[in-house]
Amino acid sequence: MKVMTVIGARPQFVKAAVVSRAFKEHRKDVQEVIVHTGQHYDANMSDVFFDDLKIPKPDFNLGIGGGSHGRNTGRMLEKIEALIINESPDCVLVYGDTDSTLAGALAASKLHVPVAHVEAGLRSFNKRMPEEINRILTDHVSTFLLAPTNTAKDNLFKEGFKKDNVFTTGDVMCDATLFYREMAKFPKEISSDHHDLSDFVLCTIHRAENTDEPARLKEILKGLGRCNKKIILPLHPRARSKISNYGIRLPDNILVIDPVGYLEMVWLESHCKMVATDSGGVQKEAYLLGKPCVTLRDETEWVELVSSGWNRLAGSDAELISGLIESFPAVAERPSLYGDGNAGKEIVNLLKF
Ligand code: UDP
């Protein structure tokens, strides 16, 4: 069979690395055609992931990035549709919740090609998030809804999906963390002046709800600045340009570095004291590596992290952010929430129809 994988953004490269590795074990039966939409195009947001995680080079790169949601999604839709017609895949595989996910799913479903959605059923219940719109629409045109957790599966059942289409597979990001942590490496983005990294907080900020709201972004940075700890912030290009456009001065305890590759990110996550983030993937990686996480959002799709006690929602409340970083309520038990590292294999077995 032929599977067309449509990816375009950083977290999708991490997820696709896991499933592509599982596909390779079935290379006699399955041909994977990789389409990179170009949504993320900087070397440190794209190429480094293909190189470090040994993802096969994309068969097609659509070069579509940098525009608005509507423009990007529309242009992707047109090009992916043409590729599906030419390539005739048996299935189109999409990941997560970006414009690339939606474009791939919509193009395939209108051509009656089955769509498999990895990370189906996640919900923030906040439709102001572009990701929430992408997730809901993608799920509703998918044939194979690959839910990472029981919570995600239950969300789908509540929306009326049939049991036959929903599969709980575990989380491919858990597979990635378990597999790549052995290969973690010190980030070259940190200069030797800063090699004393005994007690630092790892922070990421990129969600539109934070970067596109100057007041929220200022409050978050104020909260981080009030802490008595060094903060390492690999800064997403969007957040960087917004901080500069808003004229925000970064507090002195924050060390801003360029975005790092996944292996460096896992190093930082493994060596930090704790994590503060608005990223979905980083919240889970913090848990998997045993680090408390202050989530810089008002809600999370990964609700089991909050129930476990390892994740606290701080929104953009400066006092709450600094308070939690200074003294995070202790937690002990860390049950397995995301599977045993075999989600990729599970997904490939399901798709070999
Ligand atoms: N990540 C990375 N380098 C960075 C920041 C994040 O490799 O500088 C990884 C992170 O470890 C996780 C993924 O990118 O695997 C998460 O992507 P992102 O936060 O962009 O998206 P989200 O998970 O929120 O959709």
Side-chain angles (χ1 to χ4, degrees):
M1 75 178 291
K2 189 195 254 190
V3 175
M4 179 180 282
T5 295
V6 179
I7 47 180
R10 176 168 69 186
Q12 293 168 332
F13 307 141
V14 176
K15 295 165 200 173
V18 169
V19 182
S20 281
R21 193 154 36 80
F23 275 138
K24 275 184 209 150
E25 287 173 26
H26 297 271
R27 52 168 72 83
K28 276 204 212 113
D29 309 318
V30 186
Q31 181 197 353
E32 187 186 23
V33 175
I34 299 185
V35 179
H36 186 330
T37 62
Q39 190 178 337
H40 283 169
Y41 46 82
D42 293 339
N44 56 7
M45 297 288 289
S46 174
D47 299 359
V48 67
F49 291 86
F50 283 84
D51 295 343
D52 283 359
L53 309 186
K54 311 250 180 303
I55 308 169
K57 289 269 171 278
D59 298 277
F60 301 96
N61 194 322
L62 309 184
I64 301 169
S68 66
H69 288 294
R71 183 172 157 75
N72 279 353
T73 312
R75 290 169 70 210
M76 288 174 193
L77 194 53
E78 188 178 359
K79 290 202 174 177
I80 296 169
E81 180 182 67
L83 281 179
I84 295 174
I85 291 168
N86 277 341
E87 292 291 314
S88 304
D90 299 294
C91 172
V92 169
L93 178 60
V94 296
Y95 292 86
D97 53 23
T98 72
D99 292 341
S100 305
T101 318
L102 178 60
L106 212 46
S109 60
K110 294 243 175 122
L111 293 167
H112 310 296
V113 175
V115 176
H117 183 204
V118 175
E119 267 195 10
L122 289 189
R123 298 290 182 265
S124 65
F125 303 102
N126 172 4
K127 284 196 184 149
R128 288 187 55 80
M129 291 178 74
E131 295 90 340
E132 183 78 351
I133 308 286
N134 290 338
R135 289 179 196 126
I136 294 173
L137 296 180
T138 299
D139 280 342
H140 282 261
V141 294
S142 292
T143 314
F144 299 96
L145 293 116
L146 307 167
T149 61
N150 283 329
T151 310
K153 180 191 72 180
D154 292 342
N155 286 339
L156 292 169
F157 289 157
K158 281 182 204 146
E159 285 176 28
F161 286 92
K162 299 214 174 66
K163 281 202 163 62
D164 290 354
N165 300 106
V166 178
F167 308 89
T168 312
T169 57
D171 190 337
V172 289
M173 287 199 109
C174 172
D175 296 24
T177 310
L178 300 182
F179 184 78
Y180 291 109
R181 71 177 165 189
E182 306 301 325
M183 297 164 224
K185 52 185 187 194
F186 184 84
K188 60 179 178 333
E189 289 78 3
I190 298 180
S191 80
S192 52
D193 307 348
H194 295 283
H195 271 194
D196 175 22
L197 292 177
S198 47
D199 188 20
F200 71 94
V201 177
L202 174 64
C203 180
T204 73
I205 305 170
H206 77 288
R207 291 246 102 74
E209 70 210 55
N210 289 330
T211 58
D212 295 2
E213 296 285 341
R216 269 188 84 97
L217 193 53
K218 269 186 201 151
E219 274 300 295
I220 289 173
L221 292 168
K222 189 161 109 188
L224 297 170
R226 277 192 195 156
C227 313
N228 240 341
K229 288 197 167 62
K230 175 178 281 194
I231 313 264
I232 297 190
L233 176 60
L235 197 51
H236 191 283
R238 178 172 55 209
R240 187 182 282 272
S241 77
K242 296 284 178 170
I243 288 172
S244 142
N245 292 349
Y246 303 149
I248 301 174
R249 191 186 160 273
L250 284 163
D252 292 339
N253 62 330
I254 301 186
L255 173 65
V256 172
I257 58 173
D258 282 335
V260 296
Y262 184 71
L263 301 180
E264 285 87 351
M265 190 64 182
V266 174
W267 189 96
L268 289 167
E269 290 168 338
S270 305
H271 288 78
C272 67
K273 275 278 180 278
M274 64 190 305
V275 168
T277 189
D278 62 7
S279 156
V282 177
Q283 287 177 62
K284 281 178 291 169
E285 287 159 6
Y287 180 81
L288 293 163
L289 295 165
K291 309 295 167 153
C293 179
V294 178
T295 295
L296 307 170
R297 290 182 51 194
D298 299 328
E299 74 276 309
T300 178
E301 301 75 28
W302 304 101
V303 287
E304 55 287 323
L305 293 173
V306 177
S307 317
S308 77
W310 285 82
N311 187 316
R312 298 264 169 158
L313 298 175
S316 58
D317 182 328
E319 208 169 313
L320 197 50
I321 294 169
S322 60
L324 282 169
I325 291 180
E326 290 298 342
S327 134
F328 196 96
V331 264
E333 278 192 29
R334 199 156 48 89
S336 157
L337 299 175
Y338 298 110
D340 52 7
N342 287 308
K345 284 186 186 150
E346 183 92 4
I347 287 169
V348 170
N349 284 333
L350 277 167
L351 294 185
K352 277 177 48 204
F353 54 89

